Amino acid sequence: MTTAKRIDGKAKADQLAASITEQTAALLREHGLRPGLAVVIIGDDPASQVYVRNKKRRAEACGFFSVQHTLAEDTSQTDVLKLIDSLNNDEAIHGILVQLPLPEHLDEQTITQAVAPTKDVDGFHFVNIGKLTAGHTADAFVPCTPAGCMLMIEDELGPDLSGKNAVIIGRSNIVGKPMASLLLQRNATITITHSRTADLSAVVSNADIVVAAVGRANMVKADWIKPGAVVIDVGINRVETRIDGETRSRLTGDVDYDDVCSVAGAVTPVPGGVGPMTITMLMFNTLRSARLSAGLEG
Ligand code: GUN
C-alpha cells in the first residue's frame, strides 16, 4: 500500500516567517518603518481567542508592532465602527483584522467593509475581492487561508496547473470562492461543490487537487480520491473521543487523513497543515501593506 506525502505546513510556515522577520528588520533598518497589525476581537468565543493569541504571538515574533483590541460581547456596532475608523487613520497600523465570527447583533458585512481596503489584510473588502476575481493581484490582499493553500499546492505541482482538475468542497467567501479565483489564475479547471451538489464523491474523484473546507469532521474518504491527488484540508473540527474511559477533545480536519493517505499523493494534516500557513500569510499581507504604504511595492 502506498502512503501519501505528509505536507508539513508548520515547517513551511516557519520558513516563510523567518523570511518575513528578515524583511521586517530590513524595512526598519533602511526605511525606519515597522509593520503594524491591529487585531480586533469582540466577545469571548474560545476558539477565536486562541486564534487571536496565536496571531499576536506570530506578529511579535516577526518584529511587528502588534495591538489587540478586546471588546465586550455587547459592544455596539457604532463603537466597533468608531474603533475601525480610528485604526484606518492610524499611521502606525498597516493591517486591521476583525476576528470572525462576530456576535449576532453585529452586521458582518458593514464591519468588514468599514476596514480601509489598503489595510484589509484579511482580503474581505469588496475592493480586494474584486481585484482578486479580476486577476489584478499586484496590489490586492488575498485572503490568508486560500493564499497559504496555494503555496502548498504550488510546492507539490509547480506554478502552472494547466490540465489539472481542482475540486473545492465549500463555497464560503473566506475560503471556497477566493480559492477558486487563485486556482483559476494558475490555469486549473475548477469545480466548486457545496451542500446542494449531487453525488459529491463522484465529483471529487475526478480531482487532481482537492481543497476541503466544509467543517465536517473526516468527511472526505479514500474512495473519493483519485490516485496521486493533492489533498488540502482546511477543516478544523473539534471532536470528542473516549480514551481510557475519559472524554478528550481533539482537532480533526474535513479529510479522513489516515484513510486518504492510502490513495492520495500528498495530504495536509490537521493540525500542522493549513492552520500555521494561514497565520503566516497574515504576516505576509501585513508586511506587504507596510511596504505598499511606503511606495516600495505595487
Ligand atoms: N475566523 C476564521 N478565519 C478567519 C480569518 O481568516 N479572518 C478573520 N478575520 N476571522 C476568521
Side-chain angles (χ1 to χ4, degrees), residues 220-233:
V220 178
K221 303 290 183 191
D223 60 3
W224 298 27
I225 299 296
K226 179 173 170 178
V230 173
V231 180
I232 307 290
D233 189 353

Side-chain angles (χ1 to χ4, degrees), residues 55 97-100 122 124 174:
K55 286 169 188 174
L97 177 142
V98 182
Q99 185 67 25
L100 304 178
D122 252 333
F124 293 169
I174 297 186

Side-chain angles (χ1 to χ4, degrees), residues 39-116:
V39 176
V40 179
I41 177 165
I42 308 155
D44 34 37
D45 179 65
S48 290
Q49 286 182 342
V50 174
Y51 296 144
V52 163
R53 200 178 316 131
N54 288 339
K55 286 169 188 174
K56 187 162 197 299
R57 209 174 280 158
R58 189 56 112 171
E60 284 165 1
C62 285
F64 292 2
F65 169 59
S66 164
V67 283
Q68 181 177 328
H69 293 269
T70 306
L71 306 182
E73 179 88 22
D74 62 355
T75 304
S76 71
Q77 177 134 318
T78 309
D79 285 348
V80 178
L81 293 175
K82 260 192 220 155
L83 172 61
I84 293 173
D85 188 51
S86 76
L87 294 170
N88 282 341
N89 291 299
D90 184 340
E91 280 190 4
I93 297 298
H94 304 96
I96 303 169
L97 177 142
V98 182
Q99 185 67 25
L100 304 178
L102 296 171
E104 259 179 31
H105 67 283
L106 298 174
D107 183 54
E108 184 177 304
Q109 183 162 309
T110 305
I111 288 174
T112 51
Q113 301 311 306
V115 174

Side-chain angles (χ1 to χ4, degrees), residues 5-192:
K5 171 184 167 189
R6 175 183 183 276
I7 300 175
D8 191 342
K10 168 126 192 5
K12 185 163 179 65
D14 286 346
Q15 210 176 40
L16 196 59
S19 156
I20 292 169
T21 305
E22 261 176 42
Q23 291 176 62
T24 300
L27 189 63
L28 186 61
R29 200 171 52 239
E30 291 160 20
H31 300 277
L33 183 61
R34 187 188 291 281
L37 174 66
V39 176
V40 179
I41 177 165
I42 308 155
D44 34 37
D45 179 65
S48 290
Q49 286 182 342
V50 174
Y51 296 144
V52 163
R53 200 178 316 131
N54 288 339
K55 286 169 188 174
K56 187 162 197 299
R57 209 174 280 158
R58 189 56 112 171
E60 284 165 1
C62 285
F64 292 2
F65 169 59
S66 164
V67 283
Q68 181 177 328
H69 293 269
T70 306
L71 306 182
E73 179 88 22
D74 62 355
T75 304
S76 71
Q77 177 134 318
T78 309
D79 285 348
V80 178
L81 293 175
K82 260 192 220 155
L83 172 61
I84 293 173
D85 188 51
S86 76
L87 294 170
N88 282 341
N89 291 299
D90 184 340
E91 280 190 4
I93 297 298
H94 304 96
I96 303 169
L97 177 142
V98 182
Q99 185 67 25
L100 304 178
L102 296 171
E104 259 179 31
H105 67 283
L106 298 174
D107 183 54
E108 184 177 304
Q109 183 162 309
T110 305
I111 288 174
T112 51
Q113 301 311 306
V115 174
T118 50
K119 297 190 179 188
D120 169 38
V121 285
D122 252 333
F124 293 169
H125 195 284
F126 292 157
V127 166
N128 286 311
I129 296 172
K131 285 181 177 178
L132 172 60
T133 308
H136 195 290
T137 45
D139 64 347
F141 292 110
V142 176
C144 302
T145 300
C149 293
M150 204 60 225
L151 289 184
M152 292 191 285
I153 292 167
E154 193 179 297
D155 271 358
E156 299 309 313
L157 300 172
D160 183 15
L161 303 174
S162 296
K164 303 281 186 211
N165 290 326
V167 173
I168 300 161
I169 313 175
R171 56 175 155 181
S172 69
N173 290 328
I174 297 186
V175 183
K177 290 177 197 168
M179 192 76 239
S181 297
L182 289 172
L183 287 161
L184 189 59
Q185 222 172 9
R186 299 300 178 88
N187 304 318
T189 301
I190 319 296
T191 306
I192 304 184

Side-chain angles (χ1 to χ4, degrees), residues 194-276:
H194 46 77
S195 56
R196 310 288 175 92
T197 297
D199 208 353
L200 179 59
S201 61
V203 178
V204 174
S205 68
N206 201 27
D208 304 294
I209 301 160
V210 180
V211 180
V214 262
R216 286 186 56 189
N218 300 322
M219 183 178 86
V220 178
K221 303 290 183 191
D223 60 3
W224 298 27
I225 299 296
K226 179 173 170 178
V230 173
V231 180
I232 307 290
D233 189 353
V234 180
I236 302 179
N237 309 289
R238 198 162 276 286
V239 293
E240 312 264 285
T241 46
R242 298 280 295 169
I243 301 170
D244 298 336
E246 263 183 61
T247 304
R248 299 250 178 95
S249 148
R250 68 181 178 88
L251 291 183
T252 187
D254 293 346
V255 173
D256 187 334
Y257 182 85
D258 291 336
D259 194 36
V260 163
C261 274
S262 63
V263 181
V267 188
T268 62
V270 177
V274 173

